[in-house]
Every structure is written in structure tokens, then in C-alpha cells.
Amino acid sequence: MPYFESRLKVNIKDFDEIEKKLEFCKKLGIRNLILEPVNIFKQISFELREKIINQTKLNIYFRYNLTPNSVNDFKNAIKNYNNFPYILSVESKDKEIQINAARDSRVDIVSFSDENILKTLSQGVISLTKQNNSFIEFSLAPIMVRNKALQSKNFRYLYKFIQLAYKSKANIIISGNFDELFDLRHPRSLLSICHSLLDIPLNSAKKLFMDNPKLLIEKIQNRKNNNSIESGIRLIKGGEFN
């Protein structure tokens, strides 16, 4: 089954670390992996991207995360991402930035993975992402912390806002987003947590780790296709049906 780990941060300057993480994911049985370079402005080189992809038999995709400090920062940064060939996410606790990101068709994911950002999710952001066919992202990393008091607080917030998004029929993606190698889990394990602890029906939980990441990847692939003018609509060249 095509389960996804939708957010694995990697240091592009440390290829040995990347190899180690890819090998660990392979041993865990993860087959679909979305990597997020953490120390690069915009795009990795074609050569490095191919080197990473050819290093493993895993299905590798790439995402980039913007963390603007103000709306002006966001508006200036987003200009560099027209027709961007990879997944683009925005992460900020500023609600005005969230609204702008959810409204902007260049943004694929508005992320609420960080424990300090999680509690800022609003119905307005959810509605805008639904209108723009973009995604709300949650992470299970905040409830894996070792501090029990913090874990309990994070769990309450995660439960509350995942339920809000789920009941609002938002496009939801859930990632592990773990920083430490040995915190990584197969998405099936994370799915079980969503079902047993976060009260998400099993079939719906599967969508968060399988169908929705696949839809996200298809959205990016359509964007890279110059003939694609809208999801599901394509310009037909003359003679194509001959």
C-alpha cells in the first residue's frame, strides 16, 4: 500500500546523513518519502536531486518550507515560486500570514506541524485551503516528546484541531516530521495513533497517509506539465488523437 512519510527534513550539505536516513526508512518499510531540505533557499541542483533519487529504490519527492516573519516577507518570498516544480509549504503562527498563504494558489500546504503553531488554526484558513484545493498539514511529532506535561498539552491541541479540520472536510495530510532518526515510524504506526487516540475512522485515517499525499504529488506533476491548465483539464495538441 502506498503509505507516505510526508515530511523528512534533510541537511543537503551532509550527504552521508541523507544516505543514513534513506537507509533507515528503507528498513522501516517506508516506500514513499517527501524530503524537505533545511538549509537551502530555493531549489537543490538537478545533479544533487538525481544523486539522492538514484541512491535508493524509494519513491522520493521534494518539498520546501517558507517561514516568513511578516506578510511583507511572505509576499516578497512567494514571488520566487511561480510555477514551482516541487511542493511548497508555509509555516507561521501569524494568522494574517496563514490567511495569505491559504489564499495563494502557489502554496500547496499550510502547515500546523509545530506545537506553537498548531493552536492558531482557524476555520477561515480551512475554508480557503478547501477553495484552493491545497492542504492542511499536522504532525505527530509534538505528542512524541518525552516531557509528559508537554506531551499531554500537545495531545489536547492536536486532538482539538485535527477534529476541527476533519469535521470541516479539509484536505488533511499528517506527517511524522521527526528530527531524530530513531523517532521515525512507519506511517502505518502513525495511522494507528490517529485511529486509536485521535478518533479518526480507519478508512479516513488511511486517506491522510495514502490518498491525500498522492493527490498532492499529482497536483505538482500537473503543475510541471505545461499542457495542464487546471486539475483534470489538459490542452490537446492538434493531431494528438490521430
Side-chain angles (χ1 to χ4, degrees), residues 1 9 12-13 21-24 37 41 52 54 57-58 108 125 135 144 155 159 180-181 184 202 230 235:
M1 300 293 281
K9 295 172 184 172
I12 290 298
K13 296 179 180 179
K21 286 188 173 182
L22 294 180
E23 182 61 25
F24 194 78
F41 168 64
I52 293 171
N54 293 332
K57 293 182 179 179
L58 305 181
D108 305 302
V125 169
F135 294 81
M144 301 296 189
F155 176 80
Y159 184 93
E180 298 298 326
L181 185 66
L184 281 167
L202 187 57
E230 186 178 328
L235 293 174

Side-chain angles (χ1 to χ4, degrees), residues 42 77-85 88 104 106 223:
K42 188 176 179 183
I78 199 67
K79 295 175 185 177
N80 298 307
Y81 293 89
N82 296 323
N83 300 314
F84 192 57
L88 183 64
D104 198 305
R106 290 167 289 191
R223 186 162 69 209

